[in-house]
PDB file of all heavy atoms in Angstrom:
ATOM      1  N   ASN A 138     -14.330  19.301  -0.544  1.00 65.00           N
ATOM      2  CA  ASN A 138     -13.230  19.400   0.397  1.00 65.00           C
ATOM      3  C   ASN A 138     -11.974  19.107  -0.400  1.00 65.00           C
ATOM      4  O   ASN A 138     -11.879  18.113  -1.093  1.00 65.00           O
ATOM      5  CB  ASN A 138     -13.435  18.350   1.491  1.00 65.00           C
ATOM      6  CG  ASN A 138     -12.367  18.427   2.551  1.00 65.00           C
ATOM      7  OD1 ASN A 138     -11.185  18.461   2.250  1.00 65.00           O
ATOM      8  ND2 ASN A 138     -12.785  18.477   3.785  1.00 65.00           N
ATOM      9  N   SER A 140      -9.077  18.294   0.488  1.00 62.00           N
ATOM     10  CA  SER A 140      -8.140  17.282   0.972  1.00 62.00           C
ATOM     11  C   SER A 140      -8.315  16.013   0.150  1.00 62.00           C
ATOM     12  O   SER A 140      -9.419  15.527  -0.022  1.00 62.00           O
ATOM     13  CB  SER A 140      -8.430  16.978   2.440  1.00 62.00           C
ATOM     14  OG  SER A 140      -7.921  15.717   2.768  1.00 62.00           O
ATOM     15  N   PHE A 142      -7.580  13.191   1.091  1.00 56.00           N
ATOM     16  CA  PHE A 142      -7.907  12.087   1.971  1.00 56.00           C
ATOM     17  C   PHE A 142      -9.379  12.104   2.331  1.00 56.00           C
ATOM     18  O   PHE A 142     -10.060  11.111   2.233  1.00 56.00           O
ATOM     19  CB  PHE A 142      -6.974  12.139   3.171  1.00 56.00           C
ATOM     20  CG  PHE A 142      -5.563  12.347   2.694  1.00 56.00           C
ATOM     21  CD1 PHE A 142      -4.920  13.562   2.859  1.00 56.00           C
ATOM     22  CD2 PHE A 142      -4.942  11.354   1.962  1.00 56.00           C
ATOM     23  CE1 PHE A 142      -3.647  13.762   2.350  1.00 56.00           C
ATOM     24  CE2 PHE A 142      -3.675  11.547   1.445  1.00 56.00           C
ATOM     25  CZ  PHE A 142      -3.024  12.754   1.638  1.00 56.00           C
ATOM     26  N   GLU A 173      -7.165  -1.156  -0.575  1.00 53.00           N
ATOM     27  CA  GLU A 173      -8.568  -1.548  -0.624  1.00 53.00           C
ATOM     28  C   GLU A 173      -9.481  -0.374  -0.935  1.00 53.00           C
ATOM     29  O   GLU A 173     -10.536  -0.542  -1.517  1.00 53.00           O
ATOM     30  CB  GLU A 173      -8.992  -2.167   0.703  1.00 53.00           C
ATOM     31  CG  GLU A 173      -8.288  -3.481   0.970  1.00 53.00           C
ATOM     32  CD  GLU A 173      -8.819  -4.172   2.197  1.00 53.00           C
ATOM     33  OE1 GLU A 173      -9.744  -3.640   2.823  1.00 53.00           O
ATOM     34  OE2 GLU A 173      -8.299  -5.245   2.517  1.00 53.00           O
ATOM     35  N   VAL A 183     -13.073  -8.836   1.042  1.00 71.00           N
ATOM     36  CA  VAL A 183     -12.254  -8.164   0.047  1.00 71.00           C
ATOM     37  C   VAL A 183     -10.966  -8.936  -0.169  1.00 71.00           C
ATOM     38  O   VAL A 183     -10.313  -9.327   0.790  1.00 71.00           O
ATOM     39  CB  VAL A 183     -11.892  -6.743   0.503  1.00 71.00           C
ATOM     40  CG1 VAL A 183     -11.095  -6.034  -0.578  1.00 71.00           C
ATOM     41  CG2 VAL A 183     -13.141  -5.963   0.831  1.00 71.00           C
ATOM     42  N   ILE A 184     -10.622  -9.147  -1.400  1.00 77.00           N
ATOM     43  CA  ILE A 184      -9.380  -9.836  -1.724  1.00 77.00           C
ATOM     44  C   ILE A 184      -8.475  -8.872  -2.471  1.00 77.00           C
ATOM     45  O   ILE A 184      -8.866  -8.321  -3.497  1.00 77.00           O
ATOM     46  CB  ILE A 184      -9.658 -11.063  -2.620  1.00 77.00           C
ATOM     47  CG1 ILE A 184     -10.640 -12.019  -1.960  1.00 77.00           C
ATOM     48  CG2 ILE A 184      -8.359 -11.780  -2.961  1.00 77.00           C
ATOM     49  CD1 ILE A 184     -10.196 -12.556  -0.637  1.00 77.00           C
ATOM     50  N   THR A 185      -7.280  -8.655  -1.928  1.00 80.00           N
ATOM     51  CA  THR A 185      -6.288  -7.847  -2.624  1.00 80.00           C
ATOM     52  C   THR A 185      -5.236  -8.799  -3.170  1.00 80.00           C
ATOM     53  O   THR A 185      -4.698  -9.611  -2.422  1.00 80.00           O
ATOM     54  CB  THR A 185      -5.616  -6.869  -1.651  1.00 80.00           C
ATOM     55  OG1 THR A 185      -6.648  -6.133  -0.990  1.00 80.00           O
ATOM     56  CG2 THR A 185      -4.698  -5.916  -2.381  1.00 80.00           C
ATOM     57  N   ARG A 187      -2.130  -9.788  -6.477  1.00 82.00           N
ATOM     58  CA  ARG A 187      -1.345  -9.398  -7.645  1.00 82.00           C
ATOM     59  C   ARG A 187      -1.706 -10.289  -8.829  1.00 82.00           C
ATOM     60  O   ARG A 187      -2.116  -9.807  -9.854  1.00 82.00           O
ATOM     61  CB  ARG A 187       0.153  -9.469  -7.316  1.00 82.00           C
ATOM     62  CG  ARG A 187       0.601  -8.264  -6.490  1.00 82.00           C
ATOM     63  CD  ARG A 187       1.924  -8.518  -5.824  1.00 82.00           C
ATOM     64  NE  ARG A 187       1.733  -9.466  -4.728  1.00 82.00           N
ATOM     65  CZ  ARG A 187       2.702 -10.202  -4.203  1.00 82.00           C
ATOM     66  NH1 ARG A 187       3.911 -10.120  -4.678  1.00 82.00           N
ATOM     67  NH2 ARG A 187       2.446 -11.011  -3.200  1.00 82.00           N
ATOM     68  N   ASP A 195      -0.381 -19.006  -2.135  1.00 82.00           N
ATOM     69  CA  ASP A 195      -0.075 -18.523  -0.781  1.00 82.00           C
ATOM     70  C   ASP A 195      -1.204 -18.837   0.195  1.00 82.00           C
ATOM     71  O   ASP A 195      -0.971 -19.201   1.343  1.00 82.00           O
ATOM     72  CB  ASP A 195       0.174 -17.005  -0.793  1.00 82.00           C
ATOM     73  CG  ASP A 195       1.491 -16.666  -1.455  1.00 82.00           C
ATOM     74  OD1 ASP A 195       2.275 -17.602  -1.716  1.00 82.00           O
ATOM     75  OD2 ASP A 195       1.741 -15.482  -1.712  1.00 82.00           O
ATOM     76  N   LEU A 199      -1.935 -21.175   4.429  1.00 79.00           N
ATOM     77  CA  LEU A 199      -2.416 -20.691   5.730  1.00 79.00           C
ATOM     78  C   LEU A 199      -3.048 -21.844   6.498  1.00 79.00           C
ATOM     79  O   LEU A 199      -3.874 -22.565   5.972  1.00 79.00           O
ATOM     80  CB  LEU A 199      -3.468 -19.587   5.541  1.00 79.00           C
ATOM     81  CG  LEU A 199      -3.021 -18.247   4.984  1.00 79.00           C
ATOM     82  CD1 LEU A 199      -4.225 -17.304   4.927  1.00 79.00           C
ATOM     83  CD2 LEU A 199      -1.932 -17.637   5.843  1.00 79.00           C
ATOM     84  N   LEU A 202      -7.315 -21.940  12.002  1.00 73.00           N
ATOM     85  CA  LEU A 202      -7.147 -21.509  13.391  1.00 73.00           C
ATOM     86  C   LEU A 202      -8.479 -21.529  14.113  1.00 73.00           C
ATOM     87  O   LEU A 202      -9.534 -21.408  13.507  1.00 73.00           O
ATOM     88  CB  LEU A 202      -6.622 -20.071  13.431  1.00 73.00           C
ATOM     89  CG  LEU A 202      -5.240 -19.800  12.876  1.00 73.00           C
ATOM     90  CD1 LEU A 202      -4.966 -18.323  12.923  1.00 73.00           C
ATOM     91  CD2 LEU A 202      -4.208 -20.572  13.667  1.00 73.00           C
ATOM     92  N   GLU A 203      -8.369 -21.657  15.433  1.00 70.00           N
ATOM     93  CA  GLU A 203      -9.587 -21.486  16.226  1.00 70.00           C
ATOM     94  C   GLU A 203      -9.830 -20.007  16.478  1.00 70.00           C
ATOM     95  O   GLU A 203      -8.890 -19.227  16.532  1.00 70.00           O
ATOM     96  CB  GLU A 203      -9.427 -22.173  17.583  1.00 70.00           C
ATOM     97  CG  GLU A 203      -9.503 -23.676  17.525  1.00 70.00           C
ATOM     98  CD  GLU A 203      -9.072 -24.268  18.853  1.00 70.00           C
ATOM     99  OE1 GLU A 203      -9.482 -23.723  19.891  1.00 70.00           O
ATOM    100  OE2 GLU A 203      -8.305 -25.249  18.828  1.00 70.00           O
ATOM    101  N   THR A 209      -9.217  -8.514  20.230  1.00 87.00           N
ATOM    102  CA  THR A 209      -9.266  -7.065  20.040  1.00 87.00           C
ATOM    103  C   THR A 209      -9.700  -6.812  18.605  1.00 87.00           C
ATOM    104  O   THR A 209      -9.685  -7.713  17.767  1.00 87.00           O
ATOM    105  CB  THR A 209      -7.874  -6.431  20.236  1.00 87.00           C
ATOM    106  OG1 THR A 209      -6.972  -6.971  19.263  1.00 87.00           O
ATOM    107  CG2 THR A 209      -7.329  -6.698  21.628  1.00 87.00           C
ATOM    108  N   ALA A 210     -10.080  -5.557  18.307  1.00 90.00           N
ATOM    109  CA  ALA A 210     -10.524  -5.231  16.948  1.00 90.00           C
ATOM    110  C   ALA A 210      -9.425  -5.539  15.944  1.00 90.00           C
ATOM    111  O   ALA A 210      -9.689  -6.011  14.835  1.00 90.00           O
ATOM    112  CB  ALA A 210     -10.932  -3.759  16.871  1.00 90.00           C
ATOM    113  N   ALA A 211      -8.179  -5.272  16.355  1.00 91.00           N
ATOM    114  CA  ALA A 211      -7.060  -5.524  15.450  1.00 91.00           C
ATOM    115  C   ALA A 211      -6.927  -7.010  15.142  1.00 91.00           C
ATOM    116  O   ALA A 211      -6.739  -7.406  13.991  1.00 91.00           O
ATOM    117  CB  ALA A 211      -5.760  -4.986  16.068  1.00 91.00           C
ATOM    118  N   LEU A 212      -7.046  -7.834  16.185  1.00 90.00           N
ATOM    119  CA  LEU A 212      -6.930  -9.282  15.974  1.00 90.00           C
ATOM    120  C   LEU A 212      -8.119  -9.792  15.169  1.00 90.00           C
ATOM    121  O   LEU A 212      -7.963 -10.632  14.270  1.00 90.00           O
ATOM    122  CB  LEU A 212      -6.834  -9.999  17.322  1.00 90.00           C
ATOM    123  CG  LEU A 212      -6.657 -11.524  17.249  1.00 90.00           C
ATOM    124  CD1 LEU A 212      -5.444 -11.891  16.413  1.00 90.00           C
ATOM    125  CD2 LEU A 212      -6.536 -12.129  18.647  1.00 90.00           C
ATOM    126  N   HIS A 214      -9.709  -8.250  12.949  1.00 87.00           N
ATOM    127  CA  HIS A 214      -9.461  -7.862  11.553  1.00 87.00           C
ATOM    128  C   HIS A 214      -8.513  -8.857  10.884  1.00 87.00           C
ATOM    129  O   HIS A 214      -8.771  -9.343   9.786  1.00 87.00           O
ATOM    130  CB  HIS A 214      -8.886  -6.449  11.523  1.00 87.00           C
ATOM    131  CG  HIS A 214      -8.456  -5.978  10.168  1.00 87.00           C
ATOM    132  ND1 HIS A 214      -9.341  -5.855   9.119  1.00 87.00           N
ATOM    133  CD2 HIS A 214      -7.244  -5.620   9.692  1.00 87.00           C
ATOM    134  CE1 HIS A 214      -8.683  -5.426   8.045  1.00 87.00           C
ATOM    135  NE2 HIS A 214      -7.408  -5.284   8.370  1.00 87.00           N
ATOM    136  N   ILE A 215      -7.416  -9.168  11.573  1.00 90.00           N
ATOM    137  CA  ILE A 215      -6.450 -10.106  11.001  1.00 90.00           C
ATOM    138  C   ILE A 215      -7.107 -11.461  10.764  1.00 90.00           C
ATOM    139  O   ILE A 215      -6.947 -12.073   9.706  1.00 90.00           O
ATOM    140  CB  ILE A 215      -5.233 -10.254  11.946  1.00 90.00           C
ATOM    141  CG1 ILE A 215      -4.426  -8.947  11.965  1.00 90.00           C
ATOM    142  CG2 ILE A 215      -4.357 -11.423  11.523  1.00 90.00           C
ATOM    143  CD1 ILE A 215      -3.261  -8.956  12.933  1.00 90.00           C
ATOM    144  N   ARG A 219      -7.753 -13.313   7.249  1.00 86.00           N
ATOM    145  CA  ARG A 219      -7.192 -14.646   7.109  1.00 86.00           C
ATOM    146  C   ARG A 219      -8.251 -15.655   6.659  1.00 86.00           C
ATOM    147  O   ARG A 219      -8.035 -16.459   5.760  1.00 86.00           O
ATOM    148  CB  ARG A 219      -6.667 -15.063   8.489  1.00 86.00           C
ATOM    149  CG  ARG A 219      -5.295 -15.644   8.467  1.00 86.00           C
ATOM    150  CD  ARG A 219      -4.827 -15.872   9.887  1.00 86.00           C
ATOM    151  NE  ARG A 219      -3.681 -16.760   9.844  1.00 86.00           N
ATOM    152  CZ  ARG A 219      -3.777 -18.063   9.737  1.00 86.00           C
ATOM    153  NH1 ARG A 219      -4.957 -18.636   9.690  1.00 86.00           N
ATOM    154  NH2 ARG A 219      -2.682 -18.810   9.673  1.00 86.00           N
ATOM    155  N   THR A 222      -9.325 -15.080   3.160  1.00 82.00           N
ATOM    156  CA  THR A 222      -8.235 -15.473   2.268  1.00 82.00           C
ATOM    157  C   THR A 222      -8.236 -16.979   2.048  1.00 82.00           C
ATOM    158  O   THR A 222      -8.105 -17.454   0.922  1.00 82.00           O
ATOM    159  CB  THR A 222      -6.884 -15.049   2.876  1.00 82.00           C
ATOM    160  OG1 THR A 222      -6.902 -13.647   3.113  1.00 82.00           O
ATOM    161  CG2 THR A 222      -5.736 -15.383   1.942  1.00 82.00           C
TER     162      THR A 222
ATOM    163  N   GLU B  16      -3.119  20.448   7.313  1.00 92.00           N
ATOM    164  CA  GLU B  16      -3.959  19.266   7.435  1.00 92.00           C
ATOM    165  C   GLU B  16      -3.197  18.083   8.020  1.00 92.00           C
ATOM    166  O   GLU B  16      -3.713  17.363   8.868  1.00 92.00           O
ATOM    167  CB  GLU B  16      -4.509  18.871   6.057  1.00 92.00           C
ATOM    168  CG  GLU B  16      -5.355  17.598   6.107  1.00 92.00           C
ATOM    169  CD  GLU B  16      -5.803  17.133   4.725  1.00 92.00           C
ATOM    170  OE1 GLU B  16      -5.460  17.788   3.730  1.00 92.00           O
ATOM    171  OE2 GLU B  16      -6.486  16.097   4.662  1.00 92.00           O
ATOM    172  N   GLU B  22      -7.212  18.204   9.980  1.00 89.00           N
ATOM    173  CA  GLU B  22      -8.383  18.671   9.252  1.00 89.00           C
ATOM    174  C   GLU B  22      -9.486  19.127  10.203  1.00 89.00           C
ATOM    175  O   GLU B  22      -9.669  18.543  11.274  1.00 89.00           O
ATOM    176  CB  GLU B  22      -8.919  17.549   8.363  1.00 89.00           C
ATOM    177  CG  GLU B  22      -9.617  18.065   7.133  1.00 89.00           C
ATOM    178  CD  GLU B  22     -10.927  17.355   6.878  1.00 89.00           C
ATOM    179  OE1 GLU B  22     -11.074  16.206   7.299  1.00 89.00           O
ATOM    180  OE2 GLU B  22     -11.817  17.997   6.274  1.00 89.00           O
ATOM    181  N   GLY B 141      -2.163  -5.452  22.499  1.00 88.00           N
ATOM    182  CA  GLY B 141      -2.663  -6.161  21.310  1.00 88.00           C
ATOM    183  C   GLY B 141      -3.754  -5.418  20.578  1.00 88.00           C
ATOM    184  O   GLY B 141      -4.546  -6.021  19.869  1.00 88.00           O
ATOM    185  N   THR B 142      -3.829  -4.109  20.748  1.00 93.00           N
ATOM    186  CA  THR B 142      -4.873  -3.360  20.042  1.00 93.00           C
ATOM    187  C   THR B 142      -4.347  -2.729  18.757  1.00 93.00           C
ATOM    188  O   THR B 142      -5.107  -2.154  18.003  1.00 93.00           O
ATOM    189  CB  THR B 142      -5.466  -2.241  20.922  1.00 93.00           C
ATOM    190  OG1 THR B 142      -4.393  -1.376  21.323  1.00 93.00           O
ATOM    191  CG2 THR B 142      -6.136  -2.806  22.162  1.00 93.00           C
ATOM    192  N   ASP B 184       1.850   8.591  -0.217  1.00 83.00           N
ATOM    193  CA  ASP B 184       1.574   9.984  -0.541  1.00 83.00           C
ATOM    194  C   ASP B 184       2.028  10.817   0.648  1.00 83.00           C
ATOM    195  O   ASP B 184       2.576  10.293   1.610  1.00 83.00           O
ATOM    196  CB  ASP B 184       0.088  10.221  -0.869  1.00 83.00           C
ATOM    197  CG  ASP B 184      -0.818   9.667   0.210  1.00 83.00           C
ATOM    198  OD1 ASP B 184      -0.522   9.898   1.400  1.00 83.00           O
ATOM    199  OD2 ASP B 184      -1.816   9.002  -0.106  1.00 83.00           O
ATOM    200  N   LYS B 186       0.596  12.100   3.052  1.00 87.00           N
ATOM    201  CA  LYS B 186       0.014  11.797   4.364  1.00 87.00           C
ATOM    202  C   LYS B 186       0.782  10.675   5.066  1.00 87.00           C
ATOM    203  O   LYS B 186       0.674  10.503   6.270  1.00 87.00           O
ATOM    204  CB  LYS B 186      -1.456  11.395   4.192  1.00 87.00           C
ATOM    205  CG  LYS B 186      -2.199  11.213   5.511  1.00 87.00           C
ATOM    206  CD  LYS B 186      -3.679  10.980   5.297  1.00 87.00           C
ATOM    207  CE  LYS B 186      -4.418  10.850   6.622  1.00 87.00           C
ATOM    208  NZ  LYS B 186      -5.868  10.659   6.417  1.00 87.00           N
ATOM    209  N   ARG B 189      -0.889   4.701   6.144  1.00 89.00           N
ATOM    210  CA  ARG B 189      -2.102   4.761   6.958  1.00 89.00           C
ATOM    211  C   ARG B 189      -1.936   3.951   8.238  1.00 89.00           C
ATOM    212  O   ARG B 189      -2.522   4.249   9.257  1.00 89.00           O
ATOM    213  CB  ARG B 189      -3.311   4.241   6.183  1.00 89.00           C
ATOM    214  CG  ARG B 189      -3.603   4.995   4.909  1.00 89.00           C
ATOM    215  CD  ARG B 189      -3.872   6.464   5.219  1.00 89.00           C
ATOM    216  NE  ARG B 189      -4.181   7.197   3.997  1.00 89.00           N
ATOM    217  CZ  ARG B 189      -3.267   7.770   3.219  1.00 89.00           C
ATOM    218  NH1 ARG B 189      -1.994   7.702   3.538  1.00 89.00           N
ATOM    219  NH2 ARG B 189      -3.625   8.411   2.127  1.00 89.00           N
ATOM    220  N   MET B 192      -4.883  -0.974  10.746  1.00 89.00           N
ATOM    221  CA  MET B 192      -5.640  -1.978   9.982  1.00 89.00           C
ATOM    222  C   MET B 192      -5.183  -2.047   8.520  1.00 89.00           C
ATOM    223  O   MET B 192      -5.291  -3.085   7.877  1.00 89.00           O
ATOM    224  CB  MET B 192      -7.139  -1.650  10.011  1.00 89.00           C
ATOM    225  CG  MET B 192      -7.751  -1.582  11.391  1.00 89.00           C
ATOM    226  SD  MET B 192      -7.957  -3.215  12.159  1.00 89.00           S
ATOM    227  CE  MET B 192      -9.159  -2.813  13.438  1.00 89.00           C
ATOM    228  N   ILE B 195      -2.926  -4.703   6.970  1.00 91.00           N
ATOM    229  CA  ILE B 195      -3.396  -6.064   6.689  1.00 91.00           C
ATOM    230  C   ILE B 195      -4.450  -6.049   5.599  1.00 91.00           C
ATOM    231  O   ILE B 195      -5.554  -5.546   5.797  1.00 91.00           O
ATOM    232  CB  ILE B 195      -4.026  -6.695   7.962  1.00 91.00           C
ATOM    233  CG1 ILE B 195      -3.018  -6.722   9.110  1.00 91.00           C
ATOM    234  CG2 ILE B 195      -4.532  -8.106   7.658  1.00 91.00           C
ATOM    235  CD1 ILE B 195      -1.876  -7.680   8.940  1.00 91.00           C
ATOM    236  N   ASP B 196      -4.107  -6.543   4.431  1.00 84.00           N
ATOM    237  CA  ASP B 196      -5.130  -6.982   3.480  1.00 84.00           C
ATOM    238  C   ASP B 196      -4.692  -8.370   3.056  1.00 84.00           C
ATOM    239  O   ASP B 196      -3.688  -8.882   3.557  1.00 84.00           O
ATOM    240  CB  ASP B 196      -5.292  -5.997   2.315  1.00 84.00           C
ATOM    241  CG  ASP B 196      -4.028  -5.821   1.490  1.00 84.00           C
ATOM    242  OD1 ASP B 196      -3.205  -6.752   1.448  1.00 84.00           O
ATOM    243  OD2 ASP B 196      -3.866  -4.751   0.889  1.00 84.00           O
ATOM    244  N   THR B 197      -5.441  -9.009   2.164  1.00 80.00           N
ATOM    245  CA  THR B 197      -5.115 -10.410   1.887  1.00 80.00           C
ATOM    246  C   THR B 197      -3.680 -10.542   1.383  1.00 80.00           C
ATOM    247  O   THR B 197      -2.934 -11.398   1.834  1.00 80.00           O
ATOM    248  CB  THR B 197      -6.082 -11.003   0.857  1.00 80.00           C
ATOM    249  OG1 THR B 197      -6.147 -10.121  -0.257  1.00 80.00           O
ATOM    250  CG2 THR B 197      -7.453 -11.154   1.446  1.00 80.00           C
ATOM    251  N   ASP B 198      -3.299  -9.670   0.449  1.00 81.00           N
ATOM    252  CA  ASP B 198      -1.971  -9.755  -0.139  1.00 81.00           C
ATOM    253  C   ASP B 198      -0.887  -9.564   0.924  1.00 81.00           C
ATOM    254  O   ASP B 198       0.064 -10.329   1.023  1.00 81.00           O
ATOM    255  CB  ASP B 198      -1.868  -8.684  -1.228  1.00 81.00           C
ATOM    256  CG  ASP B 198      -0.584  -8.793  -2.025  1.00 81.00           C
ATOM    257  OD1 ASP B 198      -0.141  -9.928  -2.258  1.00 81.00           O
ATOM    258  OD2 ASP B 198      -0.036  -7.742  -2.398  1.00 81.00           O
ATOM    259  N   LEU B 200      -1.142  -9.769   4.244  1.00 90.00           N
ATOM    260  CA  LEU B 200      -1.161 -10.795   5.288  1.00 90.00           C
ATOM    261  C   LEU B 200      -0.419 -12.035   4.808  1.00 90.00           C
ATOM    262  O   LEU B 200       0.363 -12.634   5.546  1.00 90.00           O
ATOM    263  CB  LEU B 200      -2.604 -11.144   5.663  1.00 90.00           C
ATOM    264  CG  LEU B 200      -2.716 -12.198   6.774  1.00 90.00           C
ATOM    265  CD1 LEU B 200      -2.233 -11.628   8.102  1.00 90.00           C
ATOM    266  CD2 LEU B 200      -4.139 -12.707   6.924  1.00 90.00           C
ATOM    267  N   LEU B 201      -0.633 -12.405   3.550  1.00 87.00           N
ATOM    268  CA  LEU B 201       0.051 -13.580   3.010  1.00 87.00           C
ATOM    269  C   LEU B 201       1.558 -13.369   3.019  1.00 87.00           C
ATOM    270  O   LEU B 201       2.312 -14.266   3.381  1.00 87.00           O
ATOM    271  CB  LEU B 201      -0.453 -13.870   1.592  1.00 87.00           C
ATOM    272  CG  LEU B 201      -1.878 -14.437   1.523  1.00 87.00           C
ATOM    273  CD1 LEU B 201      -2.386 -14.451   0.090  1.00 87.00           C
ATOM    274  CD2 LEU B 201      -1.937 -15.835   2.120  1.00 87.00           C
ATOM    275  N   GLU B 204       2.871 -13.619   6.642  1.00 89.00           N
ATOM    276  CA  GLU B 204       2.925 -14.993   7.152  1.00 89.00           C
ATOM    277  C   GLU B 204       4.034 -15.784   6.458  1.00 89.00           C
ATOM    278  O   GLU B 204       4.707 -16.596   7.085  1.00 89.00           O
ATOM    279  CB  GLU B 204       1.561 -15.665   6.986  1.00 89.00           C
ATOM    280  CG  GLU B 204       0.491 -14.952   7.819  1.00 89.00           C
ATOM    281  CD  GLU B 204      -0.473 -15.900   8.519  1.00 89.00           C
ATOM    282  OE1 GLU B 204      -0.294 -17.126   8.431  1.00 89.00           O
ATOM    283  OE2 GLU B 204      -1.409 -15.401   9.172  1.00 89.00           O
ATOM    284  N   GLN B 205       4.211 -15.518   5.159  1.00 86.00           N
ATOM    285  CA  GLN B 205       5.280 -16.167   4.409  1.00 86.00           C
ATOM    286  C   GLN B 205       6.647 -15.839   5.029  1.00 86.00           C
ATOM    287  O   GLN B 205       7.479 -16.707   5.243  1.00 86.00           O
ATOM    288  CB  GLN B 205       5.228 -15.608   2.996  1.00 86.00           C
ATOM    289  CG  GLN B 205       5.741 -16.477   1.903  1.00 86.00           C
ATOM    290  CD  GLN B 205       5.441 -15.797   0.575  1.00 86.00           C
ATOM    291  OE1 GLN B 205       5.817 -14.643   0.358  1.00 86.00           O
ATOM    292  NE2 GLN B 205       4.747 -16.489  -0.304  1.00 86.00           N
ATOM    293  N   ARG B 208       7.032 -17.624   8.359  1.00 84.00           N
ATOM    294  CA  ARG B 208       7.312 -19.063   8.185  1.00 84.00           C
ATOM    295  C   ARG B 208       8.781 -19.269   7.835  1.00 84.00           C
ATOM    296  O   ARG B 208       9.441 -20.165   8.348  1.00 84.00           O
ATOM    297  CB  ARG B 208       6.424 -19.648   7.073  1.00 84.00           C
ATOM    298  CG  ARG B 208       5.030 -20.063   7.543  1.00 84.00           C
ATOM    299  CD  ARG B 208       4.361 -21.005   6.549  1.00 84.00           C
ATOM    300  NE  ARG B 208       4.236 -20.402   5.235  1.00 84.00           N
ATOM    301  CZ  ARG B 208       3.201 -19.654   4.855  1.00 84.00           C
ATOM    302  NH1 ARG B 208       2.217 -19.440   5.690  1.00 84.00           N
ATOM    303  NH2 ARG B 208       3.155 -19.139   3.652  1.00 84.00           N
ATOM    304  N   LEU B 246      -3.543 -20.077  19.294  1.00 54.00           N
ATOM    305  CA  LEU B 246      -4.665 -20.250  18.380  1.00 54.00           C
ATOM    306  C   LEU B 246      -4.431 -21.421  17.433  1.00 54.00           C
ATOM    307  O   LEU B 246      -5.356 -21.945  16.854  1.00 54.00           O
ATOM    308  CB  LEU B 246      -4.864 -18.983  17.546  1.00 54.00           C
ATOM    309  CG  LEU B 246      -5.348 -17.754  18.310  1.00 54.00           C
ATOM    310  CD1 LEU B 246      -5.482 -16.594  17.359  1.00 54.00           C
ATOM    311  CD2 LEU B 246      -6.662 -18.032  18.988  1.00 54.00           C
ATOM    312  N   PRO B 270      -1.389 -15.557  14.882  1.00 87.00           N
ATOM    313  CA  PRO B 270      -1.776 -14.218  14.398  1.00 87.00           C
ATOM    314  C   PRO B 270      -1.576 -13.113  15.437  1.00 87.00           C
ATOM    315  O   PRO B 270      -1.388 -11.955  15.085  1.00 87.00           O
ATOM    316  CB  PRO B 270      -3.261 -14.376  14.074  1.00 87.00           C
ATOM    317  CG  PRO B 270      -3.443 -15.821  13.814  1.00 87.00           C
ATOM    318  CD  PRO B 270      -2.451 -16.535  14.679  1.00 87.00           C
ATOM    319  N   ARG B 271      -1.598 -13.487  16.716  1.00 87.00           N
ATOM    320  CA  ARG B 271      -1.404 -12.448  17.734  1.00 87.00           C
ATOM    321  C   ARG B 271      -0.001 -11.862  17.706  1.00 87.00           C
ATOM    322  O   ARG B 271       0.234 -10.776  18.216  1.00 87.00           O
ATOM    323  CB  ARG B 271      -1.723 -13.011  19.131  1.00 87.00           C
ATOM    324  CG  ARG B 271      -3.213 -13.079  19.378  1.00 87.00           C
ATOM    325  CD  ARG B 271      -3.537 -13.796  20.653  1.00 87.00           C
ATOM    326  NE  ARG B 271      -3.206 -15.214  20.532  1.00 87.00           N
ATOM    327  CZ  ARG B 271      -3.619 -16.135  21.396  1.00 87.00           C
ATOM    328  NH1 ARG B 271      -4.354 -15.791  22.424  1.00 87.00           N
ATOM    329  NH2 ARG B 271      -3.289 -17.401  21.232  1.00 87.00           N
ATOM    330  N   GLN B 273       1.282 -10.664  15.216  1.00 92.00           N
ATOM    331  CA  GLN B 273       1.201  -9.516  14.308  1.00 92.00           C
ATOM    332  C   GLN B 273       0.783  -8.236  15.042  1.00 92.00           C
ATOM    333  O   GLN B 273       0.782  -7.157  14.476  1.00 92.00           O
ATOM    334  CB  GLN B 273       0.165  -9.784  13.209  1.00 92.00           C
ATOM    335  CG  GLN B 273       0.314 -11.135  12.559  1.00 92.00           C
ATOM    336  CD  GLN B 273       0.947 -11.035  11.189  1.00 92.00           C
ATOM    337  OE1 GLN B 273       1.086  -9.961  10.639  1.00 92.00           O
ATOM    338  NE2 GLN B 273       1.350 -12.164  10.646  1.00 92.00           N
TER     339      GLN B 273
END
Side-chain angles (χ1 to χ4, degrees):
Chain A
N138 183 311
S140 158
F142 313 107
E173 294 187 1
V183 183
I184 303 301
T185 307
R187 282 163 287 159
D195 288 350
L199 291 182
L202 295 176
E203 286 169 42
T209 61
L212 182 56
H214 174 62
I215 291 176
R219 227 174 164 279
T222 303
Chain B
E16 178 185 0
E22 209 225 334
T142 58
D184 52 45
K186 187 173 182 178
R189 301 300 181 272
M192 301 287 198
I195 302 290
D196 61 27
T197 50
D198 187 36
L200 181 69
L201 288 170
E204 297 221 4
Q205 207 173 55
R208 276 198 301 272
L246 292 179
R271 282 172 292 193
Q273 312 256 349

